[in-house]
Amino acid sequence: MLIRRPADIRPSEITPEAVFRSRRRLLAAAGYAGAGLLLGAGAGAAGIPAGHQRLTGVKESPLSSRETPNSFEDITHYNNFYEFGPGKSDPAEQSAGFRPRPWTVTVDGEAGVTGRFTLEDILKPHPLEERIYRFRCVEAWSMVIPWVGFPLGDLLRRFKPTSRAKYVAFETIVRPQEMPGQRSHVLDWPYVEGLTMAEAMHPLAILAVGIYGVELPNQNGAPLRLVTPWKYGFKSIKSIVRISFTVQQPHTTWSAAAPEEYGFYANVNPRVDHPRWSQATERRIGSRFFSPKQPTLPFNGYAAQVASLYTGLDLVRNF
Ligand SMILES: Nc1nc2c(c(=O)[nH]1)N[C@H]1C(S)=C(S)[C@@H](COP(=O)(O)O)O[C@H]1N2
Ligand SMILES: [Mo]
């Protein structure tokens, strides 16, 4: 393999995102107290296209992956968001008319505190963190995404769930005038998802409000979406308007659409194939040249952190 000295690498070969990463490493290496901890300034320097609102006071997290994130372009132009259409480029192309503000979230069910809350009320107490996570879609592609968000459990605790609350259900907004995909019945609207209470309280489960230090683009689930990095991507429901604490396991959109193909748990598992394709390997989006598929890891590489959530559970039956 040919190793080139840095001077041989032309600036045009360095992606803006590489700059974003290396800036942090430089600051860390220089031991510049504090500077490496506060992100956000990096977004502008990283050349994120104009018109994206910068998030301030974002702290790095020890829970971040050290893998190189996908480009902003990949993350915002290769999407699944059926409310804007079923194609990978539909969300980027069809979501410009979506208005993620003002926004409210309704909280109901088995909790001491319920009601309708503004997005500002929801977000106010939560310091923002950058969480660079591997992201594995059930369709056998993957990315690495620098989310900005906060632990889901920290929000849920504020509502004082009762001892009867065994699950948390989430619902996406229904707004067919702004979401052209909702004008046809490819899926049952609203898109719904759910987690067990234990999964929802796990420190890796976050609500994301941004990527690359800027507010979530519409196509990524503005203004608020779930991210559970050890589960297939369809669990990470976008544009959330309702959170419900439930006694029964909630219905979920993809298991209702195709129960043999998509289960409630949807933990990434290379040993449980999808009925129509293998889950043993995955294609990392954005690899510049033809590259072989890479192995898929149990729980998407987060087994050490999350496997104990499933002690005694048959992960083949509960797929
Ligand atoms: N409301 C809603 N949420 C959704 C989806 C969707 O179609 N509608 N697609 C899911 C799927 S299959 C994946 S892989 C991820 C994709 O997230 P991304 O486009 O931000 O990468 O969103 C998930 N959340
Ligand atoms: Mo997905």
Side-chain angles (χ1 to χ4, degrees):
M1 177 174 144
L2 184 66
I3 299 169
R4 293 183 298 174
R5 285 175 293 115
D8 297 329
I9 300 173
R10 282 171 288 130
S12 61
E13 292 182 81
I14 301 172
T15 66
E17 292 75 30
V19 175
F20 173 88
R21 297 282 292 174
S22 63
R23 176 178 166 277
R24 298 195 321 168
R25 265 184 244 112
L26 275 173
L27 289 169
Y32 186 75
L37 293 173
L38 288 176
L39 305 179
I48 303 299
H52 293 279
Q53 187 62 44
R54 187 103 45 91
L55 294 161
T56 53
V58 180
K59 293 207 176 102
E60 285 189 36
S61 167
L63 297 173
S64 280
S65 161
R66 302 189 71 84
E67 287 184 60
T68 304
N70 277 83
S71 68
F72 187 82
E73 174 73 15
D74 285 344
I75 295 168
T76 58
H77 288 79
Y78 190 91
N79 300 100
N80 276 330
F81 200 168
Y82 278 52
E83 284 84 340
F84 294 111
K88 294 288 179 280
S89 55
D90 289 335
E93 288 166 7
Q94 305 291 331
S95 66
F98 181 68
R99 295 280 158 259
R101 280 183 181 70
W103 195 265
T104 60
V105 178
T106 298
V107 178
D108 57 16
E110 290 292 336
V113 180
T114 56
R116 194 161 173 233
F117 303 88
T118 64
L119 182 66
E120 292 69 30
D121 286 341
I122 294 280
L123 301 184
K124 200 176 214 164
H126 303 285
L128 295 181
E129 298 172 38
E130 183 190 58
R131 294 278 184 103
I132 305 172
Y133 281 161
R134 286 180 296 280
F135 186 88
R136 171 59 157 81
C137 175
V138 75
E139 298 161 340
W141 54 264
S142 66
M143 295 202 207
V144 177
I145 304 184
W147 302 109
V148 176
F150 58 92
L152 171 64
D154 289 351
L155 174 69
L156 298 187
R157 268 186 283 274
R158 288 168 58 197
F159 304 119
K160 307 193 189 313
T162 72
S163 58
R164 285 168 50 81
K166 294 289 181 289
Y167 298 90
V168 194
F170 302 89
E171 208 174 284
T172 294
I173 197 165
V174 177
R175 219 185 253 176
Q177 283 188 320
E178 294 180 18
M179 301 176 125
Q182 283 182 338
R183 294 174 214 151
S184 56
H185 275 92
V186 261
L187 289 174
D188 270 337
W189 315 116
Y191 193 102
V192 289
E193 257 305 337
L195 299 170
T196 66
M197 205 58 188
E199 291 174 327
M201 302 312 280
H202 193 281
L204 285 179
I206 59 167
L207 286 172
V209 296
I211 50 166
Y212 268 115
V214 298
E215 281 180 358
L216 276 181
N218 289 344
Q219 60 264 43
N220 294 95
L224 188 70
R225 60 91 57 85
L226 179 66
V227 180
T228 47
W230 70 98
K231 292 178 176 287
Y232 290 121
F234 66 84
K235 296 299 286 183
S236 62
I237 181 171
K238 296 174 167 182
S239 306
I240 295 166
V241 286
R242 183 184 295 272
I243 299 176
S244 309
F245 296 93
T246 69
V247 179
Q248 305 291 337
Q249 182 174 298
H251 291 288
T252 61
T253 292
W254 280 105
S255 19
E260 309 305 315
E261 304 188 13
Y262 310 103
F264 174 77
Y265 284 92
N267 292 315
V268 175
N269 192 338
R271 295 195 312 210
V272 177
D273 287 337
H274 185 278
R276 292 183 281 132
W277 59 83
S278 165
Q279 295 291 28
T281 59
E282 64 199 53
R283 182 173 61 94
R284 181 59 59 83
I285 298 300
S287 351
R288 275 192 214 186
F289 304 103
F290 175 83
S291 55
K293 286 192 154 197
Q294 61 186 71
T296 287
L297 301 173
F299 298 106
N300 199 25
Y302 297 98
Q305 292 99 314
V306 302
S308 63
L309 289 171
Y310 307 102
T311 310
L313 193 73
D314 179 342
L315 294 173
V316 177
R317 290 174 124 235
N318 300 281
F319 62 93

